[in-house]
Amino acid sequence: MPQRLHRTPSTTPPGIVHLGLGAFFRAHGALYLAEAMQLSGTDAWGVTGVSLQSPGTRDRLQPQGWAYTAVELGPDGERAQLVTVLRDVLVAPEDPQAVLEAMAAPTTRIVSLTITEKGYHHAPATGRLNRDDPDIRHDMDNLLPKTAPGFLVRSMQIRRDRGLDPFTVLCCDNLPRNGAVVRGVVLELAGLIDPRLADWIDRNGAFPATMVDRIVPATTDADLDRLATATGIRDEAAVFHEPFRQWVVEDRFCAGRPPLDRVGVQMVGDVSPYEHMKLRMLNGTHSALAYLGYLAGHETIADTMADPVFVAYVRRLWGDEIIPALTPPPGEDLTVYADALAHRYANPAIRHRLWQIAMDGSQKLPQRILSTIAENRAAGRPTAGLSMVVAGWMQYVSGTDLQGRPIDVRDPLAARLAESWRNGDPAATVREFLALSEVFPPELRHDAAFAAELTVSLAGLLRDGARASVARLGH
Ligand code: CS2
């Protein structure tokens, strides 16, 4: 019978509050912070984790004294590391006041976020705050918020009223110009509550952009059982990740930062070329594999990349449609980056489910796929491969696969997406989808040639299936 993991946590007040305590942060940012603290001999950058929705992660971590294992799944086996950076975990819906107090504490100098795209409550196509969202409306009128933008604004309000300075807001989600996105929604919401508060945040706060990268599939019970058997210790909150990691951060912090530059974080003046490279080359092809691989009957990224027609297709996307639209970050060779991605995807130890990546497509497609399509169309470059991704997504979010089997679609716009599907009529379906202004930028919504290409892609997908459609595009 394995023993339960338990550690006594440090009592030094945390310097960081992290919103969104999913597997990604625990396998990425938390590990860099652990190394930075070890290197600098301080534990002032410990973390209060906040779950914005459910108590599950807190309930698994609490009996372990907030410690957990991060397991690297490498080509030559697994390597486990104990992570002890968490000082406490709060569950926002249970006690929003406690979350605000943690964020407003004088010792809190950074609030970081991995809350996924939809956590910002903005329209992905425009970046504007979704003012009609019921939770945002709630946060305008109530001191105890529900959303991440609400917690950021209300805790800043408390800090200003107590004569404290703001913390740095460090967005670690896969959004282009992610610092500007979170700054935009915070200032917009603050402005609706108290325009002077918005000014104060704008003058004194900091919202550096970041690019984050590490493949971290959702942990399964089988993973936890395997770890317990291997180590003799039962850890209910373990996370499993690939060896690769990258973190690029704009060096603009308003209240100090850990020595991230000494543990491999790239501190730069402008993150945007890195963000574009990663979002379009990695996340873009992840979404391509997710929708089309799922419709072809595959289960994980590695399974899909074991199918040669998908490898040829993804290589064609990189070479012909994605790389030509990118400006490489200093010192990066995008062809070498593409080869490294193909290698990472093929790692059979990582069982990254297509279903997990397919989630929230309405929030992901604009920055992963549609922005590249729009730029290619404006420059007269090809877009047929990327249009097929959009066709695959439309079929996927219809809620039924090509054999008529149901798909468990998770997306904040799921109901509207399903309503936009016109079974058997590709042209009408494309018309309905292109009317979704939250998803499609105006230049694509009004591009008749793009609508025609999408209609041909969808008709081909319906007629020939996903694998044959992809095979046609892979040369
Ligand atoms: C994936 C990402 O779930 C998804 O949408 O594309 O989580 C991806 O694994 C990470 O961004 C890799 O850094």
Side-chain angles (χ1 to χ4, degrees), residues 24 174 212-216 278 282-283 286 344 352 356-357 364 368:
F24 181 77
N174 285 316
V212 292
D213 189 9
R214 170 163 266 178
I215 292 174
V216 186
K278 193 263 173 171
L282 191 161
N283 298 110
H286 247 185
R344 289 168 65 191
H352 202 180
Q356 186 187 350
I357 299 166
K364 292 174 173 174
R368 294 180 177 205

Side-chain angles (χ1 to χ4, degrees), residues 277-300:
M277 170 182 79
K278 193 263 173 171
L279 271 168
R280 294 177 177 195
M281 289 186 68
L282 191 161
N283 298 110
T285 54
H286 247 185
S287 291
L289 292 166
Y291 299 115
L292 295 163
Y294 184 99
L295 294 173
H298 294 302
E299 196 188 345
T300 68

Side-chain angles (χ1 to χ4, degrees), residues 81-102:
Q81 174 186 351
L82 186 66
V83 188
T84 58
V85 298
L86 290 173
R87 302 281 176 266
D88 194 7
V89 177
L90 303 170
V91 180
E94 284 178 10
D95 193 350
Q97 186 65 46
V99 175
L100 287 177
E101 284 304 331

Side-chain angles (χ1 to χ4, degrees), residues 5-126:
L5 176 67
H6 184 79
R7 291 281 285 218
T8 308
S10 151
T11 51
T12 310
I16 299 177
V17 173
H18 183 81
L19 307 185
L21 199 57
F24 181 77
F25 173 74
R26 285 184 283 139
H28 181 267
L31 301 190
Y32 282 103
L33 292 172
E35 287 165 36
M37 282 195 278
Q38 195 177 31
L39 202 83
S40 58
T42 155
D43 61 356
W45 296 104
V47 177
T48 295
V50 177
S51 293
L52 287 166
Q53 278 152 14
S54 51
T57 303
R58 188 268 321 270
D59 294 348
R60 287 191 295 276
L61 282 163
Q62 191 159 32
Q64 308 185 170
W66 314 122
Y68 62 90
T69 316
V71 184
E72 181 172 301
L73 303 173
D76 39 351
E78 307 194 351
R79 202 169 29 243
Q81 174 186 351
L82 186 66
V83 188
T84 58
V85 298
L86 290 173
R87 302 281 176 266
D88 194 7
V89 177
L90 303 170
V91 180
E94 284 178 10
D95 193 350
Q97 186 65 46
V99 175
L100 287 177
E101 284 304 331
M103 295 170 77
T107 42
T108 296
R109 295 194 274 163
I110 295 173
V111 173
S112 50
L113 303 96
T114 48
I115 55 176
T116 79
E117 297 83 352
K118 62 179 178 291
Y120 295 89
H121 297 265
H122 71 306
T126 64

Side-chain angles (χ1 to χ4, degrees), residues 296-313:
H298 294 302
E299 196 188 345
T300 68
I301 290 285
D303 295 344
T304 316
M305 287 298 277
D307 183 342
V309 303
F310 277 92
V311 177
Y313 169 61

Side-chain angles (χ1 to χ4, degrees), residues 32-247:
Y32 282 103
L33 292 172
E35 287 165 36
M37 282 195 278
Q38 195 177 31
L39 202 83
S40 58
T42 155
D43 61 356
W45 296 104
V47 177
T48 295
V50 177
S51 293
L52 287 166
Q53 278 152 14
S54 51
T57 303
R58 188 268 321 270
D59 294 348
R60 287 191 295 276
L61 282 163
Q62 191 159 32
Q64 308 185 170
W66 314 122
Y68 62 90
T69 316
V71 184
E72 181 172 301
L73 303 173
D76 39 351
E78 307 194 351
R79 202 169 29 243
Q81 174 186 351
L82 186 66
V83 188
T84 58
V85 298
L86 290 173
R87 302 281 176 266
D88 194 7
V89 177
L90 303 170
V91 180
E94 284 178 10
D95 193 350
Q97 186 65 46
V99 175
L100 287 177
E101 284 304 331
M103 295 170 77
T107 42
T108 296
R109 295 194 274 163
I110 295 173
V111 173
S112 50
L113 303 96
T114 48
I115 55 176
T116 79
E117 297 83 352
K118 62 179 178 291
Y120 295 89
H121 297 265
H122 71 306
T126 64
R128 296 295 302 271
L129 182 71
N130 225 331
R131 295 183 184 194
D132 297 332
D133 180 309
D135 289 344
I136 291 293
R137 299 185 73 84
H138 169 275
D139 289 2
M140 281 182 214
D141 301 329
N142 289 279
L143 292 173
L144 294 179
K146 290 186 175 175
T147 69
F151 277 105
L152 290 167
V153 170
R154 293 294 179 186
S155 61
M156 289 284 198
Q157 189 174 30
I158 299 172
R159 292 183 82 93
R160 180 198 60 178
D161 295 348
R162 291 182 185 166
L164 297 168
D165 291 328
F167 43 71
T168 297
V169 179
L170 192 63
C171 177
C172 300
D173 278 295
N174 285 316
L175 293 163
R177 301 170 59 249
N178 59 5
V181 167
V182 66
R183 175 178 173 275
V185 295
V186 164
L187 295 183
E188 195 172 337
L189 181 59
L192 294 169
I193 292 170
D194 169 3
R196 288 197 327 256
L197 175 63
D199 276 356
W200 181 82
I201 298 172
D202 196 21
R203 263 185 287 111
N204 303 295
F207 299 84
T210 69
M211 179 271 252
V212 292
D213 189 9
R214 170 163 266 178
I215 292 174
V216 186
T219 300
T220 62
D221 288 341
D223 293 328
L224 298 181
D225 293 344
R226 202 175 66 244
L227 182 66
T229 308
T231 60
I233 296 172
R234 182 82 197 171
D235 179 348
E236 296 293 348
V239 289
F240 296 77
H241 58 81
E242 65 168 340
F244 182 89
R245 67 177 186 176
Q246 189 174 13
W247 199 2

